[in-house]
Amino acid sequence: MKLAIKLGFIGLLAFIGLMNFNYTEGATCSLANIKPGWTKTTINIGDTVVLSMAPGENCVGQNALIDIYAARPFSGGYYIKTVPITFQSGSNNALIIFTAADYIKGGNDSVYENVYADVKLNPDNGPHMTQSDYLRVNSASSGSTCQLTGAKWSWNFSAIPILGSPIHMIVSATGCANYTVALNIWEDVTGTDYVLDSAQGKFDSTGNKLDVKWVANNKNDTSVVSSGIANYDLYFIASANGKQFQSGTIIIPANSENGCINCNSGLAPSVVQCADGTSITRGPAQDSYTMCVNNIGDAHSDVPGSGPGPGGLVDACIVSNKYVCDATTCSGKPTSKISSSDCDTTAAWSCIDANGKYACSAANKPDMSDQPLCTGRGPFTQIPASHCGQFPGATATQSYQYTITNPLAGGPESPFDIINIVSRWLFNISIPLAVMFILYAGFLMLTAGPNPAKVQEAKKIIINVVLALAIILIGRGFITLIKSVIELGGQG
């Protein structure tokens, strides 16, 4: 009897132990209700900081990922980087260093960024930890002397700047040796300006001048209207060491990648103007966008005068308010590229006015105090006096206006012009309408519940939207095909 009691007791203990083993083995790691914390509240670029956290319930030995974000209002934050960690018993510390590249990736604010950590399991199969508090990351180390002193556009070609042109962003500074500079190219529009593109560069050991080449493009322009009509009014902002400097504005015509500088009004121009100064009369059914492919000049080149268009740029310095092109006289003096026809001409103080043209001081005053068009539009620069009143990039003997053709002046010249205009605007309107209908269809599906009729209605809407877009796209292709057939017939 005693033996039976002992065996029963031993069996009960084994059963309890087995149940406890199974429960522990099958327990789920949870990070809920745990908040990581920074060991500092403020650091500078290049500093290391510790993110400390408990391992979570049943999480010892589990792998996790720490995602670092820069805080942004209304956008949820900009992702910066990910740091892996394996949970150990007790407190877990992750060493994190913030570099200049991290700062730029996080948005490159002028003075500081607030960053936070989001901790999740790897693989991500459960709730995340509570978001950490903000850590302030200053844009520069204490005691830094880097100061930006100027920012300007520059180019080596002599034709009109167009899409695809290599354009240089020149940033001048003092004490910025080996500093990284963020360069954001902005589109100046009515309302809120937006970033069209971005780049970055690094000062050399002198820290005085930075030259970053940017090929003009509109690949990040999400507006179906502005990407095909009017001009791009572009300026860039250089940011380093918590300081910013804004350049002047250059104007690049939309739809100019093939050399046409007045194909930006929505209507085909009767006379096509090319980047090298050539004017070509458009014939019936001719495509204005491709008529200047042989008249781009050197607008796509980074070498002065390398294209078939006007060239002949020379180095010149300014002596007694005149451009001198003699190498001996200019030895040791600052030089710039000008057209050879501008040698020995007056160097006029100027700004770029609201219309994108050079406005000059009548009395040639460096502070432009006698030119109201230049109020608040610095920095002021010296240019050949023959360029006053012209757009940047024009020469003394050529003047180009980037104007939007009046749709009522002359009007379409052929039925294909009318069809092309209508189809283009239909396409521009169809995209946002398609998005609206698809969102409405998604709403119907989400709220359908047990009602299959709503699901079918939503599917029908999506199918109709796809068919409508296909018809619009195929229709534009048919227009091009018909034009090609007619042109071939005319040649025969």
Side-chain angles (χ1 to χ4, degrees), residues 16-97:
I16 293 173
L18 182 63
M19 292 296 291
N20 185 64
F21 173 79
N22 288 338
Y23 173 78
T24 303
E25 186 71 17
T28 302
C29 169
S30 175
L31 303 182
N33 302 319
I34 298 177
K35 184 175 182 177
W38 304 102
T39 56
K40 299 178 181 178
T41 58
T42 303
I43 63 172
N44 297 318
I45 288 178
D47 291 349
T48 299
V49 67
V50 173
L51 183 69
S52 181
M53 69 206 80
E57 186 178 357
N58 302 312
C59 292
V60 174
Q62 291 280 345
N63 295 324
L65 298 174
I66 304 171
D67 290 336
I68 309 297
Y69 295 88
R72 283 292 177 273
F74 313 114
S75 65
Y78 288 172
Y79 169 78
I80 297 177
K81 64 181 177 182
T82 297
V83 178
I85 188 173
T86 300
F87 288 121
Q88 308 294 330
S89 59
S91 179
N92 289 261
N93 297 323
L95 294 176
I96 300 173
I97 183 171

Side-chain angles (χ1 to χ4, degrees), residues 11 57 138 333:
E57 186 178 357
N138 294 324
K333 296 182 176 65

